[in-house]
Amino acid sequence: MGQRRGGDLVEACLWGAGLDLTDRAPRRASALPGPHVLSGDGAPGDVGELAGWLHEPDDAVIRSGLVGALAEQVDGQLVDPRIAWVTTDVDVRHPLARSFRVVAELPFREKQLKAALVARDVGTLTVKKRGVDVVPEVLVRRLRLKGSQRATVVLTRVDDKAVALLVDPLPR
């Protein structure tokens, strides 16, 4: 079981055989305050094409191996079999995931990425990454953006290909 507080994983527990768990699921993730609980057997989720919404599973979900269970609950699919991002065709929210609307796919190469962000007048950039070898703080410094807008970019792998996605974070 993994628990989070304020978005940070603060506890991870392993349960052994013989303990009386109420739902008898082999895996469980929970988040506080709530509590919000997700349980399942750890089966991998289906992989599909990137859709209009992207969901970042909570650390407790990832650590407990329940990304596939989360994808099933939100009627979504994984964007890559080894990457913990879930995509859906519709706007859905889950207390154990952070959701984003996909605005555009941008070039993954730094020079073209900078040009695309400058064209959008971006000055403050949040970079989320998973499955790619990038240090977000270093990338932001190298881009030297000076615009007036804020933006979030997800750098990840989709179908084993590196992509950069411009996303809008959605309220929880």
Side-chain angles (χ1 to χ4, degrees), residues 4 13 24 44 106 109 139:
R4 73 163 167 82
C13 300
R24 302 298 237 184
L106 302 177
R109 299 209 174 265
L139 175 63

Side-chain angles (χ1 to χ4, degrees), residues 120-149:
R120 288 173 167 81
D121 192 33
V122 173
T124 303
L125 183 66
T126 299
V127 177
K128 300 186 109 356
K129 67 114 180 175
R130 190 167 280 142
V132 294
D133 190 22
V134 173
V135 178
E137 299 80 13
V138 172
L139 175 63
V140 169
R141 274 196 310 272
R142 283 199 315 247
L143 291 174
R144 296 184 309 255
L145 299 169
K146 296 178 169 88
S148 63
Q149 302 298 310

Side-chain angles (χ1 to χ4, degrees), residues 101-106 117 120 151-154 164-168:
R101 183 176 62 88
V102 178
V103 176
E105 186 170 338
L106 302 177
L117 294 170
R120 288 173 167 81
T152 301
V153 170
V154 171
L165 304 170
L166 181 63
V167 298
D168 281 339

Side-chain angles (χ1 to χ4, degrees), residues 8-21:
D8 295 325
L9 184 67
V10 294
E11 178 182 343
C13 300
L14 297 174
W15 298 96
L19 294 176
D20 184 24
L21 300 176

Side-chain angles (χ1 to χ4, degrees), residues 52-56 70-77 86-95 97-101 170-172:
W53 283 266
L54 198 58
H55 311 278
E56 179 180 31
L70 175 70
E72 186 177 324
Q73 273 201 2
V74 298
D75 197 26
Q77 299 178 326
V86 174
T87 188
T88 58
D89 291 322
V90 296
D91 178 6
V92 294
R93 311 292 166 90
H94 193 283
R98 179 83 198 269
S99 298
F100 303 85
R101 183 176 62 88
L170 301 174
R172 287 188 179 240

